[in-house]
Amino acid sequence: MATRKQNQQEVVSLSNSTSVLALGLEAHMTYGSWTATAETAENHYLAYATKLAFESEYVDPNRVVDRFIASVAACRDEWRKQTLNAPYFAVVQASMMGKSRLFFRLAERQIFIFYICLGGPEFNGYPKGDPALVKALTSQTCSEGFYAAFLLAALEKLFEFRRTDPPGSSADWIRQQQDTTFWTSILERAKNQSRQLPFLFPGLDKDENEQQINERKNQYFTKLRNHFDQVLHAQATSKDNILFIFDEARCLLQLAEGSQVSNFVILRRALQIFP
């Protein structure tokens, strides 16, 4: 019955927005062929209808949101016990099954989420990712230092948001991310920090052996962990529930030409820095 109600709501949204298709056809009728015009109008129509459906009432008879929050808590507990390789887990499901809608419902439960959609120009889903953010996080030149600087820059922006009087809510926080300048400021801070210590990894000497290289890497990550620990524990918001969500993240599994390590592995190493 719940499914039928949700489908009815979506159909109503579609029927109420048919004017978008008609207006699209009328506005572009003199500028191109009927085929191209109809396709353009249909794309606008589908995008608008998808947005309406995405923002409709969330029907959750099986308490999926509660179960997801429990999974997040279990992952956090296991990370504190040092039984995980990194503090993350994967959400795997077919397209159009409601993963993204589930993520946005978390903001209604006092969970501060960073929603990052990594879908590129060919991605036709909703919500769309910020083009500059997608480019930066999927670049073949990404390093552990850059990802770490990005994560910390994002957290520092949240800390600033929470220091307002009264402190901003998790619902207000997710709405802020719709501002085009939101990710721009984080990326600028991340790029600047990634060029400095402790994020910048010192160049390796060609005469160093494997043991010496591993020791240098261990020292590098130890300094990064200490830096994260100092920054995060100094914040009054350290007890907030905070979640980074990388949607459409399968693109991180692609290997760059000549590389044996994907961006997913590099990002996972950066996540290991969290205390």
Side-chain angles (χ1 to χ4, degrees):
M1 189 67 182
T3 303
R4 186 178 301 117
K5 179 181 178 182
Q6 184 181 30
N7 289 340
Q8 288 174 348
Q9 289 174 340
E10 292 176 356
V11 170
V12 168
S13 297
L14 290 171
S15 63
N16 286 342
S17 60
T18 51
S19 59
V20 175
L21 178 60
L23 287 173
L25 285 169
E26 183 179 358
H28 296 280
M29 192 162 51
T30 60
Y31 293 98
S33 67
W34 277 104
T35 303
T37 303
E39 181 179 356
T40 300
E42 183 180 5
N43 288 341
H44 285 299
Y45 166 68
L46 289 176
Y48 182 66
T50 302
K51 184 176 185 296
L52 288 179
F54 193 89
E55 296 173 352
S56 64
E57 179 186 357
Y58 188 74
V59 181
D60 187 16
N62 297 316
R63 302 178 66 86
V64 175
V65 175
D66 289 335
R67 288 156 56 193
F68 185 85
I69 292 174
S71 296
V72 172
C75 176
R76 180 182 57 213
D77 292 341
E78 290 301 314
W79 173 244
R80 288 173 175 171
K81 296 176 185 176
Q82 298 184 343
T83 58
L84 297 180
N85 184 271
Y88 79 98
F89 63 93
V91 180
V92 183
Q93 183 55 282
S95 298
M96 303 299 291
M97 296 300 291
K99 297 186 297 298
S100 299
R101 287 209 67 189
L102 164 64
F103 299 148
F104 274 75
R105 298 288 73 75
L106 301 176
E108 301 170 358
R109 306 287 289 273
Q110 283 305 300
I111 296 178
F112 291 85
I113 70 170
F114 291 89
Y115 179 78
I116 302 165
C117 179
L118 296 177
E122 71 286 350
F123 176 65
N124 57 6
Y126 183 88
K128 298 286 188 181
D130 181 271
L133 181 64
V134 173
K135 182 179 179 180
L137 296 182
T138 59
S139 169
Q140 296 181 0
T141 61
C142 284
S143 65
E144 291 87 348
F146 171 73
Y147 279 136
F150 169 77
L151 294 171
L152 191 57
L155 288 172
E156 288 173 337
K157 190 174 184 69
L158 174 59
F159 298 154
E160 294 167 1
F161 173 77
R162 292 287 283 155
R163 282 197 292 265
T164 58
D165 187 19
S169 69
S170 55
D172 292 333
W173 174 247
I174 191 63
R175 281 192 288 269
Q176 277 212 358
Q177 295 177 39
Q178 300 173 13
D179 190 323
T180 55
T181 63
F182 180 88
W183 292 111
T184 302
S185 61
I186 291 176
L187 282 176
E188 289 177 354
R189 183 182 299 183
K191 290 176 181 177
N192 290 333
Q193 290 184 341
S194 65
R195 301 186 187 103
Q196 305 171 31
L197 296 176
F199 299 97
L200 181 65
F201 183 77
L204 294 173
D205 192 324
K206 63 180 181 179
D207 295 327
E208 289 181 307
N209 58 38
E210 184 175 353
Q211 181 179 353
Q212 291 172 321
I213 292 174
N214 289 334
E215 288 178 356
R216 290 274 300 278
K217 289 181 178 179
N218 289 335
Q219 293 172 1
Y220 169 73
F221 282 108
T222 298
K223 291 179 180 178
L224 271 181
R225 290 190 190 96
N226 291 338
H227 182 68
F228 261 65
D229 190 63
Q230 291 174 4
V231 173
L232 297 183
H233 279 81
Q235 301 297 329
T237 57
S238 59
K239 294 183 180 180
D240 284 335
N241 291 314
I242 303 170
L243 194 62
F244 285 87
I245 297 170
F246 296 88
D247 209 352
E248 299 296 320
R250 60 184 176 275
C251 62
L252 296 176
L253 296 172
Q254 299 174 1
L255 290 174
E257 185 177 353
S259 175
Q260 297 181 346
V261 180
S262 67
N263 278 346
F264 169 74
V265 173
I266 297 173
L267 175 58
R268 186 172 62 187
R269 290 173 183 166
L271 290 172
Q272 292 172 346
I273 298 167
F274 276 98

